[in-house]
Amino acid sequence: MQKLVGAGQYQSAQPNHFAEHLRTESLSVGTYSIPAGGVDDQAPHREDEIYVVTSGRAAIVTPDGKEPVGPGDVLFVAAGEPHHFADVTEDLALLVFFAPPYSGR
């Protein structure tokens, strides 16, 4: 058993801050933070991804459209699907789960 202390809290050390906190053979878990007014510049990933919004407000943009997100929302993004966060009106903090483990892009 492993416990992640403080995971999902906003990290203001740098814009678009990503930190991996756990890696196993089948998945990885990290946190992703975007400051209010920030620009999310991520590219599609090779892994399936689940986001859990722990704080903040924004919208997620995918080929299917734009959807507002806030605390408690859970989002699934399939491997290879273009997506990014926009309209970040409050510092956004997310738990991010990748399966298989995150490869770096």
Side-chain angles (χ1 to χ4, degrees):
M1 199 279 299
Q2 293 184 32
K3 178 181 176 180
L4 306 179
V5 178
Q9 295 178 349
Y10 181 73
Q11 304 291 322
S12 60
Q14 57 185 289
N16 301 355
H17 181 266
F18 175 76
E20 185 176 271
H21 300 280
L22 175 72
R23 176 174 286 265
T24 69
E25 288 183 22
S26 57
L27 65 88
S28 61
V29 180
T31 53
Y32 187 41
S33 298
I34 305 170
V39 176
D40 180 15
D41 59 358
Q42 66 177 304
H45 312 294
R46 292 179 242 187
E47 306 82 17
D48 284 340
E49 184 175 16
I50 293 176
Y51 290 104
V52 178
V53 181
T54 58
S55 65
R57 298 209 176 270
I60 188 165
V61 180
T62 70
D64 292 333
K66 186 176 183 179
E67 183 71 28
V69 299
D73 288 343
V74 178
L75 313 165
F76 172 76
V77 179
E81 182 177 0
H83 64 285
H84 68 276
F85 292 94
D87 306 331
V88 182
T89 58
E90 297 175 15
D91 292 344
L92 188 64
L94 306 147
L95 281 171
V96 188
F97 299 81
F98 291 101
Y102 184 55
S103 64
R105 286 246 185 225

